[in-house]
Amino acid sequence: MKVLKNEGRDMVIFLPSSNIFLDKLKREELEDYFKSLFLKLEERYGIDQSGFYQIYVYKDSYYGAILEIEEEDIPYLDYMDNEVEMNIHIPKSTNFMYQVEDILDLDKDILNLANLYYYQNKFYIELKKEISKKSYLKLLEYGELIYGEQVQKIQKFGKLFHSVFCE
């Protein structure tokens, strides 16, 4: 688990695929999971959580899951010390992409099993099939993980091309 703290009390939590079980949980179990996660964040990282949160769960079969936790500033919740309320959002279609500087740095098996996009002078890779663990680690090393609305923009406005030169 990797935790990035943003401005205020917002944060992004990266869960590798070995920890992905969120899609099997029911709504009540999901709330219990996040409550225990908040307690773990307080215990391990000293991050005290109380208030109302919007939680966005982005899942990908290759990477795992990314949790965006945004605190809502609602004044009437100030009196509830050490209580957490949450609204959980799980988008139906969530794809992850990997922004890379140069596609020529990547192995042919990555390029042959992916859709390639060019958008705003950058290359993006969207995996179509599972690649070897070694290739995936190289992709994570050379690329930056992209998810959410940014992926939708790239798919809509980016130029899709295939790696014909690799075959």
Side-chain angles (χ1 to χ4, degrees):
M1 175 169 64
K2 175 181 170 183
V3 179
L4 293 177
K5 190 118 168 70
N6 296 332
E7 293 178 25
R9 293 170 55 164
D10 296 347
M11 70 181 79
V12 179
I13 300 174
F14 298 86
L15 297 173
S17 59
S18 59
N19 291 336
I20 186 67
F21 59 89
L22 297 172
D23 51 350
K24 297 180 177 101
L25 296 180
K26 296 181 179 149
R27 185 64 141 177
E28 300 80 29
E29 295 169 326
L30 204 55
E31 290 176 1
D32 290 339
Y33 169 76
F34 282 112
K35 287 177 187 176
S36 68
L37 178 66
F38 284 147
L39 290 173
K40 190 182 291 185
L41 289 171
E42 183 177 356
E43 180 182 305
R44 287 189 184 170
Y45 301 104
I47 300 173
D48 182 32
Q49 303 292 125
S50 61
F52 184 77
Y53 293 89
Q54 298 287 343
I55 301 175
Y56 298 89
V57 180
Y58 300 96
K59 298 181 290 184
D60 180 74
S61 58
Y62 305 111
Y63 180 81
I66 296 177
L67 312 174
E68 280 189 346
I69 302 173
E70 300 173 357
E71 183 181 22
E72 291 287 323
D73 188 23
I74 302 177
Y76 70 85
L77 286 176
D78 287 343
Y79 70 91
M80 295 191 300
D81 193 28
N82 294 326
E83 288 191 30
V84 173
E85 293 291 325
M86 64 191 89
N87 191 7
I88 302 169
H89 308 272
I90 305 174
K92 292 189 191 297
S93 65
T94 56
N95 295 335
F96 289 10
M97 286 186 173
Y98 305 86
Q99 177 186 320
V100 293
E101 293 299 317
D102 188 0
I103 58 174
L104 297 177
D105 289 337
L106 299 173
D107 296 336
K108 289 181 182 181
D109 64 329
I110 294 174
L111 297 174
N112 287 331
L113 298 174
N115 284 331
L116 304 174
Y117 289 86
Y118 188 73
Y119 178 67
Q120 294 184 340
N121 299 323
K122 295 183 181 162
F123 293 102
Y124 297 90
I125 295 177
E126 177 184 38
L127 294 176
K128 296 185 299 188
K129 295 183 180 176
E130 192 166 345
I131 59 177
S132 70
K133 185 168 181 92
K134 180 182 173 188
S135 294
Y136 188 70
L137 291 174
K138 187 170 185 175
L139 180 60
L140 286 175
E141 177 184 350
Y142 282 100
E144 178 185 340
L145 187 62
I146 306 295
Y147 63 95
E149 291 179 12
Q150 194 172 359
V151 169
Q152 293 172 348
K153 284 182 187 177
I154 294 165
Q155 289 173 330
K156 186 174 182 179
F157 300 114
K159 175 155 178 56
L160 173 65
F161 62 97
H162 299 280
S163 55
V164 179
F165 59 88
C166 292
E167 295 177 14

